[in-house]
Amino acid sequence: MKFCKKYQEYMQGQENQMPGVGFKKLKKILNKCRRDVQSKKHLHGHGAFLDLQSCPRHCPVCDGTFFPSLLKEMSDAVNCFNERAQKLLELHLASGFRKYFIWFKAKLQGSHIALIQEGKDLVNYAMINAIAIRKILKGILQVHYSKQGQAFRSQAQSMHIEIFQSPWLCELMAFHVNLRETKAISGKAPALFEGCYLTFNDGKPFLSCELFDSVKLDIDLTCSICLDTVFDPVSLTCGHIFCSICASSAASVTIVDGLRAANPKEKCPLCREAGVYEGAVHLDELSILLRRSCREYWEQRLKKERVERVRQAKQH
């Protein structure tokens, strides 16, 4: 089965309709572009050189319709995913009366089972939409030579509308591994999504997920500043993950002040993008997973962190 058909069947089969990518609509726009190019060839005569497989560097159809449409659909998909994933994880991490209040407000039924299924559905949704967008870009950018077309991927990354950049995808993956381990400890049969797991390669941790079309997502959990496993991890808005204290140091702020106090001009140590600290997300599910999986390291690092936090608090 072709991916386009598989994707359409998946999106139509959802109980709760979520935004996706309109393959057919986008294909119609491209076909119109090619027809316009072909008509221009006839106007210029058969001797004129025009590649019918590609549109010109300045294309009013693609630049004015196709890329804005795709940009909006990508933005709608990642915003919907982030919102639902954030609510789900907030519910999982809540305790006491607050947890029951959120359950009642969200109108979720079946407690733990509903939580698991919702998380599984969101990971599936994120993966298949990320693959759909990649396939569209791969097919389009091979034949599209407009300036906007060449800059489109960079634009999407700078707007943080690629689902693979979302910190909530990393949190959902850790959420599934945490639930699986909790079920294994309790001795109950796991009714979980098995595609997410934590692996160690030469002592370095990776959070991995395998799904549609044999696509595998590997998230490196080594902090590129201290070169250790991320401790109290945070994800900057560009998608890069660091230890909270390392990120604070890179942003020239103390732990007491927090990353929101960072100057907007401060840049990510990896990609050098500015303004990525204010919207940073603390990865609580990932922190729980690493604390369980790297107990000795976590305890040693916790002692060091406490000393440093006390020192910064006194200076502050």
Side-chain angles (χ1 to χ4, degrees):
M1 183 188 298
K2 289 186 177 181
F3 179 80
C4 180
K5 186 176 181 181
K6 183 191 296 185
Y7 177 79
Q8 288 175 341
E9 288 182 355
Y10 168 81
M11 294 302 293
Q12 292 171 358
Q14 293 182 97
E15 291 185 8
N16 299 319
Q17 288 300 313
M18 297 171 70
V21 180
F23 268 98
K24 288 186 176 180
K25 182 183 73 174
L26 295 174
K27 189 175 181 181
K28 285 181 180 179
I29 296 174
L30 286 179
N31 287 338
K32 183 181 186 306
C33 167
R34 292 195 176 96
R35 286 196 300 270
D36 288 352
V37 172
Q38 189 170 14
S39 64
K40 287 180 181 179
K41 178 186 176 182
H42 290 306
L43 288 174
H44 286 81
H46 293 286
F49 176 77
L50 277 174
D51 182 4
L52 295 183
Q53 297 302 313
S54 64
C55 54
R57 290 185 65 81
H58 299 283
C59 176
V61 176
C62 289
D63 291 350
T65 308
F66 175 78
F67 287 107
S69 295
L70 181 56
L71 204 63
K72 183 180 184 306
E73 290 177 349
M74 289 175 66
S75 180
D76 290 344
V78 76
N79 287 338
C80 177
F81 169 77
N82 286 344
E83 182 180 347
R84 292 185 61 170
Q86 188 173 0
K87 288 181 178 178
L88 175 70
L89 294 167
E90 181 185 9
L91 173 59
H92 181 236
L93 294 170
S95 60
F97 176 77
R98 175 173 170 74
K99 187 165 190 173
Y100 288 106
F101 176 76
I102 297 174
W103 272 111
F104 177 78
K105 187 177 179 181
K107 297 179 180 179
L108 291 173
Q109 303 295 327
S111 60
H112 202 67
I113 296 174
L115 202 68
I116 293 169
Q117 188 59 47
E118 173 75 2
K120 176 181 177 180
D121 291 345
L122 283 172
V123 172
N124 285 336
Y125 172 80
M127 288 295 184
I128 198 168
N129 274 281
I131 294 167
I133 290 166
R134 285 190 171 188
K135 285 184 176 292
I136 289 174
L137 291 177
K138 183 179 179 181
I140 301 312
L141 298 184
Q142 287 176 347
V143 297
H144 193 287
Y145 294 97
S146 76
K147 290 182 179 179
Q148 186 168 337
Q150 296 300 308
F152 180 79
R153 184 181 292 276
S154 297
Q155 182 184 4
Q157 289 177 340
S158 66
M159 293 176 64
H160 310 127
I161 57 173
E162 286 193 339
I163 288 183
F164 281 161
Q165 283 182 292
S166 171
W168 301 110
L169 178 57
C170 176
E171 278 287 82
L172 274 179
M173 291 165 63
F175 160 78
H176 281 292
V177 181
N178 286 334
L179 282 179
R180 183 164 63 241
E181 290 186 356
T182 301
K183 285 285 186 178
I185 292 172
S186 65
K188 297 178 182 178
L192 297 164
F193 177 63
E194 299 292 340
C196 300
Y197 45 90
L198 179 68
T199 59
F200 290 87
N201 186 3
D202 293 330
K204 294 185 176 181
F206 291 85
L207 191 57
S208 304
C209 188
E210 293 181 357
L211 207 58
F212 298 95
D213 286 7
S214 300
V215 171
K216 184 179 180 181
L217 174 63
D218 288 313
I219 300 176
D220 188 354
L221 301 180
T222 299
C223 175
S224 60
I225 297 176
C226 67
L227 303 181
D228 272 330
T229 299
V230 288
F231 180 86
D232 189 18
V234 295
S235 175
L236 308 186
T237 56
C238 57
H240 292 121
I241 300 173
F242 303 94
C243 305
S244 178
I245 199 165
C246 292
S248 297
S249 176
S252 302
V253 296
T254 66
I255 288 290
V256 179
D257 292 325
L259 293 175
R260 294 185 183 278
N263 189 311
K265 294 182 180 180
E266 295 291 345
K267 299 178 180 179
C268 168
L270 279 179
C271 65
R272 307 307 297 165
E273 181 180 345
V276 294
Y277 291 98
E278 185 178 357
V281 175
H282 275 83
L283 304 178
D284 295 323
E285 289 284 354
L286 180 59
S287 188
I288 293 171
L289 173 59
L290 291 173
R291 186 174 70 240
R292 289 176 173 175
S293 305
C294 313
R295 292 185 183 276
E296 186 176 345
Y297 163 75
W298 203 263
E299 289 176 3
Q300 291 175 353
R301 186 71 183 265
L302 181 61
K303 291 178 182 178
K304 292 180 181 179
E305 293 280 321
R306 282 174 175 168
V307 172
E308 179 60 23
R309 286 172 184 268
V310 169
R311 185 188 70 81
Q312 290 191 21
K314 287 181 177 180
Q315 288 182 347
H316 189 271

